[in-house]
Amino acid sequence: MDAISVIRAKRDRQELTGEQIDWIIDAYTRGVVADEQMAALAMAVYLNGMTRAEISRWTAAMIASGERMDFGALDRPTADKHSTGGVGDKITLPLAPLVAACGAAVPQLSGRGLGHTGGTLDKLESVPGWRASLSNAEMMDVLRDVGSVVCAAGEGLAPADKRLYALRDVTGTVESLPLIASSIMSKKIAEGTGALVLDVKAGSGAFMKNADDARELAATMVELGTDHGVRTVALLTDMDTPLGRTAGNALEVRESVEVLAGGGPADVVELTVALAREMLDAAGLPDADPAKALADGSAMDVWRRMITAQGGDPDAQLPRAREQHVVTAPASGVVTRLDAYAVGLAAWRLGAGRARKEDPVQAGAGVEIHARPGDHVTAGAPLLTLHTDTPDTFAYAQAALEGAWELAPAGSGFRPRPLILDRIG
Ligand code: URA
């Protein structure tokens, strides 16, 4: 077998054989296939797609490239959530302790932000002292003692995906359904969770801009999970508008703590509770009541123990950016659109995100949203507050936000589109 024949086959729209797929993933993991060859293959897949059989074999080969974790020794069922990524998507922060408070174990292996979407680990690192890197033994200890853990995936989990994802990121091949589905599901299946709930985003701030593509991605991932014995369901959710009222690391932690305290924005609470119900159902705990666990403080209690177990101080002041700039409404009316991509781009330019993997992020940077679709504003009232330590970025952020919102006269009958668009599984 050789890389060139595999690349040619996909270039010429042929279906790859199982042997070709197993060989190329294994050879790439061992460094026998070069990055430029894998990049050419990724572009051929991007352009010509894959059949379900190819996606399934590709996923299995990526799982086999590394270790598989096993939570069988825990005394409670495991459930995990994965979001395909969006703007202001802080849901993992309240969700993991909430589901743990309801009786499941939540091993939440999470990632960092890249481009306009934020990353859960970057957000939590704004909590003074909190550590994202845990050994497998440490992760197990936190999971057993607290019920939920949020940490970086170890080097041994689906190493083929680690290399391939970094390569796709710099070769314009991220937005490919077969490559996204196999990337996400290889990590989740290797992680060993018994139940998985996918939050598949559709809209301007998501990888999948339209709901039909997102639905197909969701169906593919549900099928992959089910085939590997993981009880998998997906919610299709809106990402035309940012989630909640903040986009940025410490800003989002603050908002998540509000949700755990029984408050917070209605959309963040709605999605957190809906995903919690799905996770508990899939884990075999359908009678648990996540709304009650938010209201009675038990989810907050798990959050505090989880942060402490990972070296953080749940009572510490969260960092605040040195400079703020307020963007005001140009006229009175009702907000009918607030573009998620533009807000994500602005937060990124203010310093909340990174352009390259090794870049640092600013803990306090980001965008605070004062008016969301459906809210009434008067001329001159604050719409957004921009936060940064580097005020020279205000102009770039404001340029990103040009045309990002629309206002209509009050009484125009505008109704925001629902947050949860569909359920697959
Ligand atoms: N998240 C992943 O883990 N992989 C992708 O390909 C896209 C999003």
Side-chain angles (χ1 to χ4, degrees):
M1 195 87 64
D2 67 283
I4 299 169
S5 62
V6 182
I7 297 165
R8 280 196 182 120
K10 191 39 77 184
R11 181 197 67 188
D12 297 341
R13 300 169 195 265
Q14 291 166 22
E15 181 167 353
L16 300 181
T17 65
E19 290 70 33
Q20 283 176 315
I21 291 172
D22 290 351
W23 181 84
I24 196 103
I25 295 288
D26 177 57
Y28 182 57
T29 311
R30 289 186 291 111
V32 172
V33 166
D35 273 346
E36 54 270 31
Q37 293 177 308
M38 200 56 168
L41 180 58
M43 185 56 83
V45 171
Y46 176 91
L47 295 171
N48 295 330
M50 275 181 166
T51 63
R52 284 284 168 94
E54 285 176 292
I55 300 174
S56 179
R57 189 71 172 241
W58 187 276
T59 306
M62 294 220 288
I63 296 168
S65 72
E67 67 186 10
R68 289 189 76 153
M69 299 184 73
D70 183 3
F71 299 117
L74 292 174
D75 59 1
R76 27 169 152 176
T78 47
D80 191 4
K81 185 268 311 189
H82 182 85
S83 158
T84 55
V87 177
D89 186 359
K90 70 272 302 166
I91 300 292
T92 294
L93 277 60
L95 180 66
L98 173 59
V99 173
C102 292
V106 187
Q108 191 74 53
L109 301 184
S110 298
R112 295 187 183 280
L114 200 66
H116 74 280
T117 64
T120 299
L121 300 181
D122 294 329
K123 293 170 197 181
L124 280 167
E125 276 178 349
S126 62
V127 178
W130 186 86
R131 273 192 309 127
S133 288
L134 303 181
S135 67
N136 284 358
E138 284 175 316
M139 176 189 172
M140 272 302 195
D141 285 347
V142 180
L143 197 54
R144 191 176 301 107
D145 297 346
V146 178
S148 63
V149 61
V150 181
C151 61
E155 286 304 311
L157 205 79
D161 177 64
K162 273 201 188 69
R163 284 196 68 186
L164 182 55
Y165 192 50
L167 187 69
R168 287 167 54 213
D169 207 35
V170 293
T171 56
T173 50
V174 167
E175 301 90 343
S176 152
L177 188 151
L179 296 179
I180 295 175
S182 54
S183 165
I184 292 173
M185 294 308 291
S186 61
K187 286 174 287 204
K188 291 293 157 185
I189 294 165
E191 173 203 288
T193 185
L196 175 64
V197 177
L198 299 162
D199 180 4
V200 180
K201 306 280 188 201
S204 76
F207 283 123
M208 297 292 161
K209 306 295 178 204
N210 76 65
D212 287 343
D213 290 345
R215 195 172 281 108
E216 194 185 336
L217 175 64
T220 306
M221 293 197 291
V222 167
E223 200 174 293
L224 286 171
T226 309
D227 285 352
H228 283 88
V230 182
R231 287 179 302 286
T232 310
V233 299
L235 294 185
L236 197 70
T237 68
D238 176 67
M239 192 28 76
D240 266 340
T241 303
L243 264 173
R245 292 185 175 269
T246 56
N249 302 311
L251 291 169
E252 292 191 48
V253 174
R254 198 168 293 131
E255 190 169 273
S256 303
V257 172
E258 283 168 25
V259 171
L260 286 159
D267 61 331
V268 178
V269 175
E270 178 190 347
L271 189 53
T272 303
V273 171
L275 289 166
R277 290 213 166 97
E278 294 288 354
M279 287 168 76
L280 291 161
D281 219 26
L285 299 166
D287 298 330
D289 183 355
K292 178 168 173 289
L294 272 185
D296 69 12
S298 51
M300 176 68 99
D301 183 47
V302 176
W303 161 264
R304 294 177 61 82
R305 289 196 290 125
M306 180 179 83
I307 294 296
T308 307
Q310 294 184 231
D313 176 358
D315 296 315
Q317 282 275 53
L318 290 167
R320 187 174 155 78
R322 282 194 291 275
E323 306 274 343
Q324 278 78 33
H325 174 82
V326 178
V327 178
T328 55
S332 298
V334 58
V335 179
T336 55
R337 190 173 73 88
L338 178 63
D339 186 70
Y341 178 70
V343 171
L345 197 57
W348 178 24
R349 290 182 176 174
L350 290 164
R354 53 171 68 78
R356 290 170 308 164
K357 276 196 170 353
E358 51 288 354
D359 290 349
V361 295
Q362 291 179 29
V367 178
E368 205 177 340
I369 298 162
H370 303 293
R372 291 175 45 81
D375 290 346
H376 288 266
V377 289
T378 51
L383 267 184
L384 307 169
T385 301
L386 314 183
H387 296 251
T388 188
D389 293 334
T390 45
D392 52 323
T393 60
F394 280 139
Y396 301 115
Q398 281 175 287
L401 289 165
E402 203 117 315
W405 65 83
E406 282 169 18
L407 296 173
S412 58
F414 169 78
R415 298 253 301 271
R417 83 164 171 168
L419 176 59
I420 300 174
L421 305 171
D422 205 351
R423 179 184 188 279
I424 292 117

